[in-house]
Amino acid sequence: MPGAQLAPASREALPKASLQLEHLVCNPSGRRSPIGPELQRGQCIGVLLKMKRLPPGVTAAHLAVLRPHVRETIKNLVHSQVPPTLSNITECLRREGVGEPACKALLNLCHIFSSTFCLWVPEEGEVSIVLLEEPLPPLPEKTIQDLHMAVARRLPHKLNMMNLACMREAADPSSRELAEELARDGVTTLMIKNLPTSLQQPQVMDEIDNTGFGGKYDFFYMPGNFTGHHKSLGYAFLNLKDVQSMKDFVTVWHGTKRLGAKEYPLKVSAADVQGRDANAQNFGPRMHRIRNPSLRPVILGPFPEKSDQA
């Protein structure tokens, strides 16, 4: 490709980025087989990245213009025996004069034009983008659920890096400013407002985990009205384990309309009570009479031993 000085990789290191769909979904014997795990992971991550907003200054019209450039770039890279990794594609686009905001929208492109592009996610090594001559069959719901668990278990660093970093880049500047302000005050416990009242506590926790914060919090509670309608009060409390995780959460969640928020975007602020143990003491004692465990506060991790001294 003109102007490209990317070193070709060995055949063993190359992703199987054939431009033919049959080469992507067939085993070496030539018999038709289910879609390989690399593409399944790519489809799954595409589902996880649905909430990723477009970078500032980039519109759907820009992506429509970018689409043929990316397609030709991938074809040229594959023809030159260079793996079409995200970094290689980005470097080629920059050399062609494509602006930085558009380069940051590659993952959006894969999701919006999923009939043309798909992420190729190997067990090790950098993620690539492959071309499809026809759309991949949709993943069954159970497969998506299984892959969510597998990705979270086997590829936590890769998923968090792609998902969380991309959403941080796309975050509104006001969210970053709020995160810095709360960090200066040492805040770790947040109040999330404007949640749809139809949501159940496990649904919100799943969304928190899927946006890269699984294992990064130790307290969560979404109060309900206990009227028999199983509705929440529209807000929740979350304690992150450290200030950096709190900053990331505020940057990614504040001002968004995830989880079906429609009229008002989610608002994240400092909670009045700070810290896991203080919140557990605040909410815990009066929650023991609640029979449904999904309505109780979720408190993770061991508690410090009580002292015998008064």
Side-chain angles (χ1 to χ4, degrees):
M1 185 175 65
Q5 300 295 325
L6 302 174
S10 66
R11 290 191 178 275
E12 291 75 13
L14 285 172
K16 298 176 182 177
S18 168
L19 301 180
Q20 301 293 329
L21 176 64
E22 61 184 5
H23 294 160
L24 292 172
V25 298
C26 287
N27 59 28
S29 67
R31 294 183 57 192
R32 194 78 174 177
S33 65
I35 294 173
E38 294 85 0
L39 285 178
Q40 284 186 324
R41 295 186 199 108
Q43 284 185 294
C44 182
I45 290 177
V47 173
L48 296 178
L49 292 175
K50 281 183 178 180
M51 75 289 290
K52 182 181 183 300
R53 295 182 294 182
L54 289 173
V58 177
T59 66
H62 292 139
L63 292 184
V65 174
L66 181 65
R67 180 183 182 182
H69 287 282
V70 175
R71 186 192 301 118
E72 288 304 311
T73 297
I74 295 174
K75 286 183 178 180
N76 289 331
L77 287 172
V78 173
H79 180 73
S80 303
Q81 293 294 296
V82 175
T85 61
L86 291 174
S87 59
N88 284 346
I89 295 171
T90 300
E91 184 176 349
C92 290
L93 292 176
R94 286 170 179 161
R95 290 176 179 176
E96 294 176 7
V98 176
E100 196 64 27
C103 289
K104 291 181 178 180
L106 280 176
L107 293 177
N108 298 96
L109 194 78
C110 291
H111 166 62
I112 294 173
F113 299 110
S114 59
S115 62
T116 302
F117 307 105
C118 186
L119 292 174
W120 178 275
V121 186
E123 285 282 357
E124 296 181 358
E126 190 176 349
V127 172
S128 298
I129 300 178
V130 296
L131 293 178
L132 305 174
E133 288 193 340
E134 60 184 85
L136 294 172
L139 292 172
E141 189 62 32
K142 184 179 184 305
T143 301
I144 293 178
Q145 294 174 357
D146 291 344
L147 284 171
H148 274 244
M149 295 176 62
V151 168
R153 182 174 62 252
R154 300 173 66 185
L155 302 171
H157 177 69
K158 187 184 295 291
L159 178 61
N160 287 345
M161 182 175 62
M162 288 182 61
N163 196 9
L164 187 56
C166 288
M167 287 186 289
R168 275 202 307 257
E169 289 180 2
D172 188 89
S174 63
S175 299
R176 297 192 185 96
E177 293 173 4
L178 175 61
E180 293 293 343
E181 178 183 338
L182 295 178
R184 287 193 291 270
D185 294 335
V187 170
T188 59
T189 307
L190 301 170
M191 184 177 186
I192 310 168
K193 302 178 183 177
N194 297 335
L195 290 165
T197 57
S198 59
L199 290 172
Q200 300 296 313
Q201 185 162 276
Q203 292 175 287
V204 182
M205 293 181 66
D206 285 344
E207 183 72 3
I208 293 172
D209 292 345
N210 290 337
T211 49
F213 296 96
K216 296 185 178 182
Y217 62 96
D218 51 19
F219 179 89
F220 181 81
Y221 178 49
M222 185 172 70
N225 57 18
F226 302 106
T227 60
H229 299 293
H230 302 292
K231 287 185 176 292
S232 76
L233 299 181
Y235 59 87
F237 300 94
L238 175 73
N239 185 68
L240 284 305
K241 291 182 178 180
D242 52 71
V243 173
Q244 182 58 54
S245 297
M246 180 279 298
K247 288 176 59 178
D248 289 341
F249 185 87
V250 173
T251 302
V252 169
W253 276 62
H254 180 71
T256 65
K257 291 190 174 181
R258 65 180 71 250
L259 285 169
K262 295 180 179 179
E263 187 174 0
Y264 301 104
L266 300 183
K267 182 179 179 181
V268 180
S269 60
D272 290 338
V273 179
Q274 288 293 307
R276 185 203 67 165
D277 294 350
N279 275 279
Q281 185 176 7
N282 184 44
F283 291 108
R286 61 178 181 267
M287 294 290 111
H288 289 304
R289 65 179 181 272
I290 299 176
R291 295 182 179 180
N292 188 342
S294 67
L295 300 179
R296 300 174 188 162
V298 176
I299 306 168
L300 305 172
F303 283 94
E305 296 182 3
K306 294 182 179 181
S307 173
D308 294 335
Q309 297 179 358

mmCIF file of all heavy atoms in Angstrom, residues 53 56 166-176 251-252:
data_model
loop_
_atom_site.group_PDB
_atom_site.id
_atom_site.type_symbol
_atom_site.label_atom_id
_atom_site.label_comp_id
_atom_site.label_asym_id
_atom_site.label_seq_id
_atom_site.Cartn_x
_atom_site.Cartn_y
_atom_site.Cartn_z
ATOM 1 N N ARG A 53 -20.619 5.887 23.083
ATOM 2 C CA ARG A 53 -21.025 7.056 22.321
ATOM 3 C C ARG A 53 -19.973 7.418 21.280
ATOM 4 O O ARG A 53 -18.795 7.087 21.422
ATOM 5 C CB ARG A 53 -21.243 8.252 23.258
ATOM 6 C CG ARG A 53 -22.395 8.043 24.236
ATOM 7 C CD ARG A 53 -22.619 9.254 25.096
ATOM 8 N NE ARG A 53 -21.500 9.520 25.986
ATOM 9 C CZ ARG A 53 -21.476 10.500 26.871
ATOM 10 N NH1 ARG A 53 -22.507 11.319 26.972
ATOM 11 N NH2 ARG A 53 -20.424 10.678 27.650
ATOM 12 N N PRO A 56 -16.527 13.042 20.393
ATOM 13 C CA PRO A 56 -16.967 14.416 20.122
ATOM 14 C C PRO A 56 -16.575 14.864 18.721
ATOM 15 O O PRO A 56 -15.446 14.647 18.279
ATOM 16 C CB PRO A 56 -16.241 15.237 21.199
ATOM 17 C CG PRO A 56 -15.974 14.259 22.304
ATOM 18 C CD PRO A 56 -15.725 12.946 21.630
ATOM 19 N N CYS A 166 -12.349 3.051 25.829
ATOM 20 C CA CYS A 166 -13.110 3.665 24.743
ATOM 21 C C CYS A 166 -14.206 4.569 25.288
ATOM 22 O O CYS A 166 -14.443 5.667 24.764
ATOM 23 C CB CYS A 166 -13.729 2.586 23.849
ATOM 24 S SG CYS A 166 -12.524 1.722 22.832
ATOM 25 N N MET A 167 -14.878 4.142 26.341
ATOM 26 C CA MET A 167 -15.943 4.970 26.900
ATOM 27 C C MET A 167 -15.368 6.199 27.598
ATOM 28 O O MET A 167 -15.986 7.266 27.608
ATOM 29 C CB MET A 167 -16.798 4.141 27.854
ATOM 30 C CG MET A 167 -17.695 3.149 27.132
ATOM 31 S SD MET A 167 -18.844 2.290 28.229
ATOM 32 C CE MET A 167 -17.714 1.224 29.124
ATOM 33 N N ARG A 168 -14.183 6.064 28.203
ATOM 34 C CA ARG A 168 -13.542 7.235 28.807
ATOM 35 C C ARG A 168 -13.224 8.281 27.752
ATOM 36 O O ARG A 168 -13.417 9.477 27.955
ATOM 37 C CB ARG A 168 -12.255 6.814 29.533
ATOM 38 C CG ARG A 168 -12.458 6.323 30.954
ATOM 39 C CD ARG A 168 -11.170 6.440 31.752
ATOM 40 N NE ARG A 168 -10.070 5.793 31.084
ATOM 41 C CZ ARG A 168 -9.571 4.614 31.415
ATOM 42 N NH1 ARG A 168 -10.113 3.932 32.399
ATOM 43 N NH2 ARG A 168 -8.549 4.096 30.759
ATOM 44 N N GLU A 169 -12.708 7.805 26.596
ATOM 45 C CA GLU A 169 -12.357 8.731 25.518
ATOM 46 C C GLU A 169 -13.580 9.467 25.005
ATOM 47 O O GLU A 169 -13.501 10.633 24.624
ATOM 48 C CB GLU A 169 -11.698 7.959 24.368
ATOM 49 C CG GLU A 169 -10.301 7.460 24.678
ATOM 50 C CD GLU A 169 -9.699 6.708 23.514
ATOM 51 O OE1 GLU A 169 -10.368 6.617 22.471
ATOM 52 O OE2 GLU A 169 -8.560 6.220 23.639
ATOM 53 N N ALA A 170 -14.722 8.774 24.977
ATOM 54 C CA ALA A 170 -15.937 9.370 24.423
ATOM 55 C C ALA A 170 -16.721 10.174 25.453
ATOM 56 O O ALA A 170 -17.745 10.765 25.111
ATOM 57 C CB ALA A 170 -16.831 8.267 23.845
ATOM 58 N N ALA A 171 -16.258 10.202 26.700
ATOM 59 C CA ALA A 171 -17.017 10.858 27.762
ATOM 60 C C ALA A 171 -17.059 12.372 27.570
ATOM 61 O O ALA A 171 -16.157 12.977 26.998
ATOM 62 C CB ALA A 171 -16.403 10.527 29.122
ATOM 63 N N ASP A 172 -18.125 12.964 28.062
ATOM 64 C CA ASP A 172 -18.286 14.404 28.007
ATOM 65 C C ASP A 172 -17.266 15.070 28.943
ATOM 66 O O ASP A 172 -16.990 14.562 30.030
ATOM 67 C CB ASP A 172 -19.710 14.777 28.443
ATOM 68 C CG ASP A 172 -19.998 16.247 28.231
ATOM 69 O OD1 ASP A 172 -20.465 16.589 27.134
ATOM 70 O OD2 ASP A 172 -19.749 17.030 29.163
ATOM 71 N N PRO A 173 -16.690 16.200 28.546
ATOM 72 C CA PRO A 173 -15.699 16.872 29.414
ATOM 73 C C PRO A 173 -16.233 17.185 30.802
ATOM 74 O O PRO A 173 -15.476 17.160 31.776
ATOM 75 C CB PRO A 173 -15.367 18.147 28.633
ATOM 76 C CG PRO A 173 -15.635 17.800 27.201
ATOM 77 C CD PRO A 173 -16.805 16.859 27.238
ATOM 78 N N SER A 174 -17.537 17.484 30.910
ATOM 79 C CA SER A 174 -18.096 17.800 32.227
ATOM 80 C C SER A 174 -18.023 16.607 33.170
ATOM 81 O O SER A 174 -17.876 16.774 34.387
ATOM 82 C CB SER A 174 -19.551 18.266 32.086
ATOM 83 O OG SER A 174 -20.363 17.233 31.543
ATOM 84 N N SER A 175 -18.091 15.390 32.607
ATOM 85 C CA SER A 175 -17.975 14.195 33.439
ATOM 86 C C SER A 175 -16.561 14.064 33.993
ATOM 87 O O SER A 175 -16.367 13.691 35.154
ATOM 88 C CB SER A 175 -18.337 12.947 32.628
ATOM 89 O OG SER A 175 -19.669 13.015 32.171
ATOM 90 N N ARG A 176 -15.580 14.372 33.157
ATOM 91 C CA ARG A 176 -14.194 14.312 33.623
ATOM 92 C C ARG A 176 -13.946 15.357 34.710
ATOM 93 O O ARG A 176 -13.243 15.093 35.692
ATOM 94 C CB ARG A 176 -13.240 14.538 32.450
ATOM 95 C CG ARG A 176 -13.315 13.469 31.360
ATOM 96 C CD ARG A 176 -12.144 13.618 30.403
ATOM 97 N NE ARG A 176 -12.239 12.699 29.284
ATOM 98 C CZ ARG A 176 -12.750 13.009 28.108
ATOM 99 N NH1 ARG A 176 -13.178 14.231 27.877
ATOM 100 N NH2 ARG A 176 -12.805 12.116 27.131
ATOM 101 N N THR A 251 -16.700 9.215 35.087
ATOM 102 C CA THR A 251 -16.426 9.606 33.698
ATOM 103 C C THR A 251 -17.294 8.829 32.722
ATOM 104 O O THR A 251 -17.805 9.390 31.740
ATOM 105 C CB THR A 251 -14.943 9.379 33.365
ATOM 106 O OG1 THR A 251 -14.135 10.133 34.269
ATOM 107 C CG2 THR A 251 -14.620 9.806 31.946
ATOM 108 N N VAL A 252 -17.492 7.533 32.995
ATOM 109 C CA VAL A 252 -18.203 6.665 32.053
ATOM 110 C C VAL A 252 -19.727 6.732 32.225
ATOM 111 O O VAL A 252 -20.468 6.625 31.252
ATOM 112 C CB VAL A 252 -17.706 5.208 32.220
ATOM 113 C CG1 VAL A 252 -18.590 4.228 31.472
ATOM 114 C CG2 VAL A 252 -16.274 5.095 31.724
#
